[in-house]
Amino acid sequence: MEVQWVGVETPRLGPPHTAISVIFSILLGLRYTQALEMSVGKITHMEAVNGSTVILPCTYASCIGIKDLYFNWQFNENGTMQKVCDSIIVSEGVVPDVKIYRERVEFVGMNDHNNISIMLWNITFEDAGEYTCFGRNPKEKGRNHSAVFTLYVVDELRVVDNTLATMIASAVGGAIALLMGFMLLKNFTLFVLAKLEEKNKECLVTSSGIDNTENGLSGSKADSKPTPKKK
């Protein structure tokens, strides 16, 4: 009988460069998760009075540093992005030569601590809206990021009504004071009762000794007198 051998195909592993490519992609992804970031701070809006001067904050950060970082500020004017200013920062610490495209705008960041903030002078109601701080870092293969800051322009700042807060604070303070007074009164009452009880015990001991003396009981002063002798 002829025996037929059935061959089992051994799975082939990919070439070494495939694994290297996967690892490189993962590392690249991890690097980009901490890449260029533009930030306007935790408070992303401001309310200012018409005619005042305000600063729109913005800073940048990159885990691997920057080189020829391009940045700009843009203003959303009725759906159209209008450039406010732009420049290129050659490297960290270098003061950029900023071009201004809008009136009453001044660059005040000076790249100090990665600061690229701008100042708006004598603002009007037309200046209200969204301002976008944008950055692109060629060192990170053109990685870019942006942050939006919203400016509201009003006739006068709203006065916050603190009546409710004052009432709550007064109520809480009164309750605490009442509780402290109650605790002091309680402690004082317990102290007085303790003193009265101690005084009552002393009175009972004293009155008991007097009763024994008057009744001529053993151990009293009446027993201490000597018996008169008969003549």
Side-chain angles (χ1 to χ4, degrees), residues 43-118:
I43 301 177
T44 60
H45 63 276
M46 175 191 299
E47 189 173 275
V49 178
N50 180 34
S52 62
T53 298
V54 298
I55 293 180
L56 306 186
C58 184
T59 59
Y60 65 86
S62 175
C63 59
I64 64 172
I66 65 166
K67 183 178 181 182
D68 296 331
L69 171 70
Y70 171 79
F71 77 91
N72 66 37
W73 277 91
Q74 300 178 69
F75 174 64
N76 188 351
E77 188 172 359
N78 299 323
T80 303
M81 301 303 293
Q82 301 289 339
K83 189 178 294 185
V84 177
C85 68
D86 69 348
S87 185
I88 293 178
I89 302 177
V90 179
S91 61
E92 296 181 7
V94 177
V95 179
D97 183 16
V98 182
K99 296 181 180 179
I100 306 296
Y101 303 97
R102 193 178 178 91
E103 295 181 352
R104 297 174 287 104
V105 175
E106 180 182 350
F107 179 75
V108 295
M110 306 303 290
N111 195 30
D112 184 24
H113 299 292
N114 301 346
N115 188 353
I116 51 175
S117 304
I118 60 174

Side-chain angles (χ1 to χ4, degrees), residues 7-23:
V8 179
E9 183 177 358
T10 303
R12 296 182 178 178
L13 298 176
H17 69 269
T18 303
I20 295 175
S21 299
V22 173
I23 296 174

Side-chain angles (χ1 to χ4, degrees), residues 65-191:
I66 65 166
K67 183 178 181 182
D68 296 331
L69 171 70
Y70 171 79
F71 77 91
N72 66 37
W73 277 91
Q74 300 178 69
F75 174 64
N76 188 351
E77 188 172 359
N78 299 323
T80 303
M81 301 303 293
Q82 301 289 339
K83 189 178 294 185
V84 177
C85 68
D86 69 348
S87 185
I88 293 178
I89 302 177
V90 179
S91 61
E92 296 181 7
V94 177
V95 179
D97 183 16
V98 182
K99 296 181 180 179
I100 306 296
Y101 303 97
R102 193 178 178 91
E103 295 181 352
R104 297 174 287 104
V105 175
E106 180 182 350
F107 179 75
V108 295
M110 306 303 290
N111 195 30
D112 184 24
H113 299 292
N114 301 346
N115 188 353
I116 51 175
S117 304
I118 60 174
M119 178 182 290
L120 305 183
W121 293 87
N122 193 23
I123 60 174
T124 65
F125 292 105
E126 288 73 20
D127 294 323
E130 294 183 346
Y131 290 81
T132 301
C133 179
F134 171 85
R136 182 174 62 246
N137 188 15
K139 191 174 182 179
E140 297 176 281
K141 296 185 177 181
R143 173 75 177 185
N144 62 78
H145 191 250
S146 62
V148 178
F149 190 88
T150 305
L151 174 65
Y152 300 97
V153 182
V154 296
D155 284 324
E156 58 182 8
L157 295 178
R158 292 173 294 178
V159 179
V160 179
D161 187 5
N162 293 324
T163 303
L164 180 59
T166 303
M167 292 175 61
I168 294 175
S170 300
V172 173
I176 294 175
L178 182 62
L179 180 60
M180 293 180 63
F182 173 76
M183 295 299 296
L184 291 174
L185 180 61
K186 178 182 176 182
N187 292 335
F188 178 74
T189 303
L190 293 175
F191 174 77

Side-chain angles (χ1 to χ4, degrees), residues 21-38:
S21 299
V22 173
I23 296 174
F24 179 77
S25 299
I26 295 174
L27 293 177
L28 189 62
L30 291 175
R31 189 191 72 175
Y32 278 151
T33 58
Q34 298 179 347
L36 178 68
E37 180 181 2
M38 314 299 289

